[in-house]
Amino acid sequence: MDRRQRFKKHDWLISKTQSILEHYSCPESCNASCCKTHIIDFRRKEYERILKNVDKESANILKSNAVKSELEGCYKAIVGNCPLLINSKCRIYDNRPEACRSFPFVIIPDEEAGFGLTLLLCPMSVNIIQDYAQWYESVNSTMHSRLNALYEQYKNIDKNNDFCIEMKEHNLDSFIEFLEKR
């Protein structure tokens, strides 16, 4: 897959995650564990855009806490507890990076496929897993049973952990249609 195809696929996956996320929101009980335990990677243009569009104090916080990213194609990263999180609220929410906008989905580079889509466990993703299991009921009873069991196991989570599931690209459009019909 050449560079142009990779960018096109990445953009396609971002649009699909955003279409899914339109149907969900973080519950009030969420303690923003995603901002406390994950790496937030920035591409150069995104990093510069954010610096231009946030208040001076937030820009200074970001500059003093961002380190060189280890992820190919990314410029800077925030590792661990995000310094822009105050009382479990993001101080640059309207200007937050793509990684934050698409969480709990993570688009992971893949040598052969270009990218893979993973859903990390958080209070919101538990609801996505429940709906994904419900959607699978008409498609594949074995997957429906597995996802339903995962939902039952994790529905009472109170913090993020290392659990994740892969979302199949060929299912995304049908799953989005399912969500829109509810």
Side-chain angles (χ1 to χ4, degrees), residues 2-139:
D2 69 25
R3 186 175 172 92
R4 194 172 127 220
Q5 290 172 315
R6 288 175 63 86
F7 279 117
K8 187 175 181 178
K9 183 170 184 181
H10 181 270
D11 291 345
W12 180 82
L13 285 170
I14 288 293
S15 74
K16 295 304 172 187
T17 62
Q18 294 307 306
S19 293
I20 292 169
L21 290 172
E22 288 175 6
H23 301 275
Y24 302 92
S25 60
C26 295
E28 284 296 318
S29 62
C30 182
N31 68 357
S33 59
C34 55
C35 305
K36 298 173 183 171
T37 59
H38 293 283
I39 297 171
I40 302 165
D41 287 295
F42 301 88
R43 288 183 171 66
R44 181 183 292 272
K45 286 181 181 178
E46 175 182 51
Y47 180 77
E48 291 169 355
R49 177 190 54 79
I50 291 169
L51 289 177
K52 286 179 187 174
N53 291 305
V54 298
D55 62 275
K56 191 172 185 171
E57 183 180 356
S58 295
N60 288 335
I61 291 170
L62 183 58
K63 286 178 189 176
S64 64
N65 287 277
V67 297
K68 184 177 180 341
S69 178
E70 298 293 320
L71 186 63
E72 180 186 343
C74 288
Y75 174 62
K76 293 282 186 177
I78 297 289
V79 180
N81 197 15
C82 182
L84 296 166
L85 189 67
I86 298 172
N87 298 325
S88 294
K89 300 291 181 200
C90 178
R91 69 183 285 148
I92 64 164
Y93 187 81
D94 291 335
N95 291 295
R96 69 196 186 281
E98 182 181 283
C100 300
R101 290 179 187 279
S102 59
F103 194 85
F105 291 102
V106 178
I107 298 171
I108 299 174
D110 179 280
E111 287 287 323
E112 294 173 22
F115 294 97
L117 185 62
T118 300
L119 179 64
L120 299 178
L121 187 64
C122 75
M124 181 187 359
S125 69
V126 170
N127 297 327
I128 297 171
I129 292 168
Q130 181 183 28
D131 290 342
Y132 200 47
Q134 190 177 12
W135 171 80
Y136 251 117
E137 188 171 23
S138 66
V139 177

Side-chain angles (χ1 to χ4, degrees), residues 166-179:
E166 181 182 351
M167 305 266 310
K168 302 291 184 188
E169 291 175 28
H170 62 274
N171 294 338
L172 296 177
D173 286 324
S174 295
F175 180 55
I176 292 166
E177 286 175 24
F178 168 81
L179 293 172

